[in-house]
């Protein structure tokens, strides 16, 4: 009996015929599905609820933990996004193989809200409402914090696809060629988006916007946009005083638009609609999405974003 159990466990450790992949976030789930393609011997599941959004402060549920114990490998966004699950994984499934899709991505650090010319300047540059950042600073007092929202940049998303393909080939060498081909094909589709971004970045358009500076950082950098005032990242943390301050900054800079996200604070969006004198454009950065989204979901949504941004920013005099 004991021998049997040992044999079953042993078979499980070499994936028992099926490679069970778990992906931390919705964008990484979509990316991994594209890299795995039709390969039958691999299952791809999403760990976190698809509608969750950024999991910076996420607390794991028993259901998540069950999923972690059943998986062979966990595909991560990386760049610090999954700090919340490291200790849980060590506790419940220390054998779980971690695939860091962000390992090769050209990362940005979390931008301070204003540039300070003097290096001796030691006042707090951190925005006041990034509650998840405050936590991180408690744990990691030194070094710049990486911005984990790199999937919003198609060129970086393609880099992550190549990393996932290379890491999957190590776990499943027989599928290596398939993963590489799928990642390359997907990168070609992302290239179309990247070409659009490059064209738009070079065009004559208004560049100053108000946005969630963390979530928009990568796309903003690719497009050459300047975020002149910050919307809070994630939850419903803005007070009436914050909103007044935000609208005051906004008025001073006269930016082209306020960019919001469907996953952002509802209260904030309502306030902006009522009080802002600028156009408000909702841009879907895909931190969330339908669990049964088509494999082309990212391209479709990003194309829509780019068209809407082009329409709005190019129609206003720079
Ligand atoms: Zn986030």
């Amino acid at each position: 009996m004991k021998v049997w159990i040992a044999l079953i466990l042993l078979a499980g450790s070499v994936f028992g015929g099926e490679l069970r992949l778990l992906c931390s976030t919705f964008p990484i789930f979509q990316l991994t599905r594209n890299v795995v393609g039709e390969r039958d011997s691999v299952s791809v599941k999403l760990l976190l609820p698809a509608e969750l959004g950024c999991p910076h402060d996420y607390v794991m549920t028993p259901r998540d933990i069950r999923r972690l114990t059943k998986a062979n490998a966990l595909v991560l966004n990386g760049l610090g996004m999954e700090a919340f699950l490291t200790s849980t994984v060590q506790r419940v499934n220390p054998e779980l193989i971690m695939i860091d899709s962000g390992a090769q991505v050209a990362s940005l650090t979390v931008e301070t809200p204003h540039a300070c010319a003097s290096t001796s300047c030691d006042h707090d540059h951190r925005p006041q409402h990034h509650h998840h950042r405050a936590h991180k600073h408690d744990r990691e007092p030194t070094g710049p914090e990486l911005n984990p929202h790199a999937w919003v940049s198609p060129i970086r998303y393609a880099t992550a696809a190549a990393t996932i393909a290379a890491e999957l080939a190590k776990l499943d060498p027989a599928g290596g060629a398939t993963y590489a081909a799928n990642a390359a094909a997907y990168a070609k589709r992302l290239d179309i988006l990247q070409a659009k971004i490059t064209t738009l970045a070079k065009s004559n358009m208004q560049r100053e916007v108000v946005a969630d500076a963390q979530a928009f950082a990568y796309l903003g950098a690719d497009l050459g946009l300047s975020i002149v005032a910050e919307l809070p990242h994630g939850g419903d943390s803005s007070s009436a005083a914050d909103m007044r301050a935000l609208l005051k900054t906004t008025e001073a800079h006269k930016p082209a638009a306020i960019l919001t996200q469907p996953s952002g604070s509802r209260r904030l969006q309502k306030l902006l609609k009522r009080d802002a004198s600028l156009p408000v454009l909702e841009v879907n950065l895909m931190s969330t999405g339908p669990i049964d989204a088509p494999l082309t979901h990212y391209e479709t949504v990003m194309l829509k974003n780019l068209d809407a941004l082009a329409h709005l920013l190019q129609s206003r005099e720079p």
Side-chain angles (χ1 to χ4, degrees), residues 237-258:
S237 54
S238 53
S239 69
D242 297 332
M243 281 305 302
R244 276 196 299 276
L246 174 75
L247 291 172
K248 211 172 155 190
T249 319
T250 301
E251 276 160 30
H253 279 274
K254 303 211 185 323
I258 299 175

Side-chain angles (χ1 to χ4, degrees), residues 53-56 81 132 147-149 151 212 214-215 233-234 287:
C54 278
H56 306 287
M81 184 65 103
H132 64 275
N147 185 329
H149 308 86
W151 73 87
D212 169 344
Q214 283 203 62
H233 184 61
S287 52

Side-chain angles (χ1 to χ4, degrees), residues 1 18 64 74 83 88 119 143 148 150 207 212 217 276-277 309-310:
M1 185 66 177
E18 190 194 35
D64 302 332
L74 177 63
T88 310
T119 48
R207 291 176 190 274
D212 169 344
S277 51
L309 282 167

